[in-house]
Amino acid sequence: GIQVEQSPPDLILQEGANSTLRCNFSDSVNNLQWFHQNPWGQLINLFYIPSGTKQNGRLSATTVATERYSLLYISSSQTTDSGVYFCAVWDSSYKLIFGSGTRLLVRP
Amino acid sequence: DVKVTQSSRYLVKRTGEKVFLECVQDMDHENMFWYRQDPGLGLRLIYFSYDVKMKEKGDIPEGYSVSREKKERFSLILESASTNQTSMYLCASSLGLGGTDTQYFGPGTRLTVL
């Protein structure tokens, strides 16, 4: 099955700093998504980004499907950005395969 | 907005008890999912359902069963709770199973089995 790997596993930032999170996937896919899980456990979809670049406020994502990776950029980070960021792809058996996540802590 | 609700945020049960976790979605989604989340292990799929009364095993179905009698409701059942089932349980729903479809998650139930 598809393997999804994320790096780094943990990241600590000072408020205002920028960061890049990476997601690698093992097979050709065209349906990569990014999620954020807040410190209280709620998971929310951030982007559906099968290829190209999308931006939403201070967050943007780029997927290069031919090279099997996606990047999530967080600019001018805020404490509310803290939590865990997951990337995920649908596999051929109709399951959404999640990476292991990047845990982000933004300090004031 | 899609809303997925779970019956409890926190639950404490004793070993051997039968435990019901309830999930309700309000967007007429065909598909519903149960995951458990443990530190270092990410999200692992327990079961999903693609229609009323239909279910498919996920990656870790042992020790769990599910029920979907109505489209909007998907229940996870722990027949005889054990301490290794202490975890965060997340329910999700989606309109489809691929492509542009995304999953909408409930707030989670943090279950402790003593």
Side-chain angles (χ1 to χ4, degrees):
Chain A
I2 295 174
Q3 305 295 316
V4 182
E5 295 179 352
Q6 294 186 242
S7 60
D10 295 281
L11 191 56
I12 300 175
L13 299 175
Q14 207 63 35
E15 199 168 28
N18 303 327
S19 62
T20 301
L21 284 58
R22 187 177 180 101
C23 173
N24 293 329
F25 40 94
S26 60
D27 294 330
S28 296
V29 298
N30 61 357
N31 54 41
L32 188 124
Q33 306 180 38
W34 282 96
F35 291 83
H36 174 234
Q37 185 174 35
N38 68 23
W40 296 271
Q42 180 71 60
L43 261 161
I44 295 174
N45 181 271
L46 296 174
F47 291 102
Y48 167 74
I49 181 78
S51 63
T53 299
K54 284 188 179 178
Q55 182 148 8
N56 184 359
R58 296 178 297 100
L59 300 182
S60 65
T62 295
T63 296
V64 183
T66 53
E67 297 186 22
R68 302 181 185 174
Y69 74 89
S70 183
L71 302 173
L72 180 69
Y73 304 97
I74 305 174
S75 63
S76 304
S77 57
Q78 300 178 358
T79 55
T80 52
D81 295 330
S82 295
V84 185
Y85 290 82
F86 293 98
C87 59
V89 298
W90 289 103
D91 76 358
S92 57
S93 61
Y94 309 114
K95 297 176 188 173
L96 194 59
I97 308 300
F98 287 83
S100 54
T102 292
R103 184 174 301 274
L104 174 65
L105 175 62
V106 181
R107 291 182 168 154
Chain B
D1 277 355
V2 174
K3 192 167 185 182
V4 180
T5 57
Q6 296 183 228
S7 50
S8 306
R9 289 302 304 274
Y10 299 94
L11 205 54
V12 180
K13 295 292 182 180
R14 297 210 174 272
T15 300
E17 281 192 76
K18 190 169 187 176
V19 181
F20 293 86
L21 302 183
E22 304 285 338
C23 176
V24 177
Q25 52 95 2
D26 68 356
M27 280 300 290
D28 203 34
H29 281 172
E30 303 294 329
N31 309 287
M32 297 187 74
F33 309 81
W34 276 107
Y35 295 89
R36 66 177 282 178
Q37 184 178 21
D38 301 287
L41 296 177
L43 277 77
R44 294 181 291 168
L45 181 65
I46 305 171
Y47 269 99
F48 74 98
S49 168
Y50 53 91
D51 200 352
V52 174
K53 297 190 188 293
M54 306 303 289
K55 61 186 179 184
E56 287 281 343
K57 292 181 179 179
D59 299 318
I60 52 163
E62 298 78 20
Y64 303 94
S65 62
V66 290
S67 172
R68 190 155 179 217
E69 298 295 321
K70 293 185 178 181
K71 192 175 188 179
E72 67 271 17
R73 188 180 296 270
F74 192 33
S75 302
L76 181 69
I77 303 155
L78 286 65
E79 296 289 343
S80 178
S82 63
T83 55
N84 63 13
Q85 293 177 309
T86 292
S87 187
M88 173 73 134
Y89 289 88
L90 293 164
C91 175
S93 72
S94 73
L95 188 61
L97 289 173
T100 59
D101 293 298
T102 190
Q103 292 187 7
Y104 296 87
F105 283 82
T109 295
R110 197 169 291 279
L111 172 67
T112 301
V113 183
L114 301 175

